[in-house]
Amino acid sequence: MNNNIEHFIEIERQQLISQLTEYYSCDLLVQNIPSESMINDTFKLVHTKLVNSLINKYMLVRCMDYQVGCFSMLFEGEVINEISLPDGFDIEFIPQICEKLHVSFLNSLYTYSNGKIIKKKSKSNLLEAGAVYTQEKVAYDIVHRTI
């Protein structure tokens, strides 16, 4: 399954570059550098579409009454119409892949440096999404002192 996560992270990277090149032509990239905020907002959009597409594919296989048009009634966001799955990929692994993709997203940040878009480790998405939890002992102390 670890090889499969790399497949999907590569799809995310390709989609990010594709989305950014729609806004910035290759000739303008040097003169009109995308901001870190623009790159990471686009990354969030691409990540959401990819996870939604995996959920959509999983629902199509696992739920008898689910149809393509049902996605917008049950979930927020858009899907990528055609998403490639690795050869021999077991649909049952989609929830785990989505979890790993989301953890990767929460722990990543893209920057633009020397004409390249670089992915680096960062906790900024983690903090912004509020995905940081309070340790059990700290939570207990807070509740105990409050009551």
Side-chain angles (χ1 to χ4, degrees):
M1 187 171 74
N2 201 27
N3 291 339
N4 290 332
I5 190 64
E6 296 304 322
H7 171 84
F8 295 106
I9 287 174
E10 179 60 20
I11 289 175
E12 254 183 353
R13 190 186 71 75
Q14 290 172 1
Q15 289 288 321
L16 174 65
I17 291 168
S18 175
Q19 287 284 316
L20 288 172
T21 55
E22 285 182 25
Y23 300 115
Y24 300 93
S25 75
C26 291
D27 296 334
L28 295 175
L29 211 58
V30 174
Q31 298 168 354
N32 196 8
I33 298 171
S35 69
E36 193 171 287
S37 174
M38 168 73 165
I39 294 170
N40 287 292
D41 287 348
T42 305
F43 175 42
K44 184 176 183 177
L45 176 72
V46 165
H47 168 73
T48 302
K49 282 184 179 180
L50 178 59
V51 170
N52 285 350
S53 300
L54 288 168
I55 291 168
N56 189 50
K57 193 157 283 277
Y58 183 80
M59 296 288 287
L60 283 167
V61 172
R62 298 291 292 152
C63 302
M64 301 288 265
D65 295 333
Y66 183 81
Q67 298 171 1
V68 177
C70 294
F71 186 86
S72 61
M73 291 186 297
L74 301 171
F75 304 100
E76 292 180 11
E78 301 174 41
V79 296
I80 301 167
N81 290 333
E82 287 299 318
I83 183 165
S84 67
L85 298 176
D87 290 337
F89 180 76
D90 186 353
I91 292 289
E92 296 303 316
F93 286 118
I94 285 181
Q96 290 91 345
I97 292 292
C98 288
E99 179 71 19
K100 287 183 182 255
L101 278 172
H102 199 57
V103 167
S104 174
F105 166 76
L106 290 172
N107 290 299
S108 301
L109 184 72
Y110 280 90
T111 59
Y112 183 83
S113 178
N114 298 325
K116 294 183 179 180
I117 296 173
I118 300 166
K119 183 178 184 177
K120 63 181 187 177
K121 288 187 181 258
S122 172
K123 299 292 183 193
S124 64
N125 283 331
L126 190 71
L127 296 170
E128 184 180 316
V132 179
Y133 66 92
T134 305
Q135 294 176 358
E136 186 177 340
K137 183 180 184 306
V138 173
Y140 176 81
D141 288 343
I142 292 169
V143 171
H144 182 72
R145 278 185 270 148
T146 304
I147 296 175

